[in-house]
Amino acid sequence: MAGETVITVVGNLTADPELRYTQNGKPVANFTIASTPRTFDRQANEWKDGDALFLRASVWNEFAEHVSGSLTKGSRVIVQGRLRQRSYQDREGNNRTSIELDVDEIGPSLRYATAQVTRTSGGSGRGQSNGGGQQAEPWSPQSNASSQDVWNTPQGGTYDDDLPF
């Protein structure tokens, strides 16, 4: 949606994601990401940690179940999502505001770890179904209904005509 603040955060989960279900049975997972900047201090010849940013995040539906089944406390993740500002009253009746992240994408960071990805069948992903119940990757030939190679098929002429030499 236009006008939303989209950010990417790299950090570690402070606890296992909390998977809950709404009264309507809709899954939601909440978790906190701790992102700590590091800078190299040339005078001391060592890395120094800055102030950590703790950001609450949430995911919904089948995505929530995937996150809670895949990630655990301490997992280093790369998260992209939209910032949301929420106002509420605390137990003492004081008005409070919090900034939270509605997660669009999340995955493990492979800088210091390895991961094995397992596709789920069906689901409400954005990829197109390849007819076998699995989600086809957008770049795979299976996601193109005609299975033609779009890179080798000229669309309205060749690009060579536009070159200056």
Side-chain angles (χ1 to χ4, degrees):
M1 185 179 272
E4 292 182 313
T5 305
V6 177
I7 65 167
T8 301
V9 178
V10 178
N12 296 73
L13 299 187
T14 62
D16 291 348
E18 299 172 30
L19 180 63
R20 299 178 187 205
Y21 293 87
T22 65
Q23 291 179 350
N24 297 335
K26 194 175 195 181
V28 60
N30 296 297
F31 51 94
T32 300
I33 305 159
S35 180
T36 307
R38 297 192 92 197
T39 55
F40 190 74
D41 182 348
R42 292 182 187 208
Q43 303 283 42
N45 199 32
E46 65 184 10
W47 288 96
K48 300 227 174 174
D49 289 339
D51 293 332
L53 167 70
F54 294 93
L55 188 59
R56 286 293 292 169
S58 62
V59 293
W60 291 84
N61 301 317
E62 187 179 26
F63 190 12
E65 293 172 331
H66 294 172
V67 167
S68 68
S70 302
L71 300 173
T72 57
K73 177 181 180 177
S75 296
R76 186 161 183 85
V77 293
I78 304 167
V79 184
Q80 184 175 35
R82 293 161 284 118
L83 288 178
R84 296 276 186 224
Q85 182 173 305
R86 187 172 64 89
S87 298
Y88 63 96
Q89 281 191 345
D90 64 14
R91 293 179 181 152
E92 290 80 33
N94 299 316
N95 290 329
R96 301 283 185 182
T97 301
S98 68
I99 303 292
E100 299 169 354
L101 184 64
D102 285 343
V103 176
D104 292 322
E105 297 288 341
I106 186 171
S109 171
L110 301 181
R111 177 169 283 196
Y112 306 112
T114 61
Q116 184 164 353
V117 177
T118 305
R119 285 189 180 178
T120 61
S121 61
S124 57
R126 293 180 181 156
Q128 298 171 349
S129 175
N130 64 9
Q134 291 183 332
Q135 295 295 323
E137 296 295 337
W139 57 85
S140 76
Q142 294 174 338
S143 68
N144 187 345
S146 64
S147 293
Q148 66 187 38
D149 186 352
V150 296
W151 296 108
N152 289 329
T153 306
Q155 301 291 323
T158 63
Y159 293 107
D160 293 338
D161 298 337
D162 298 330
L163 295 176
F165 47 86

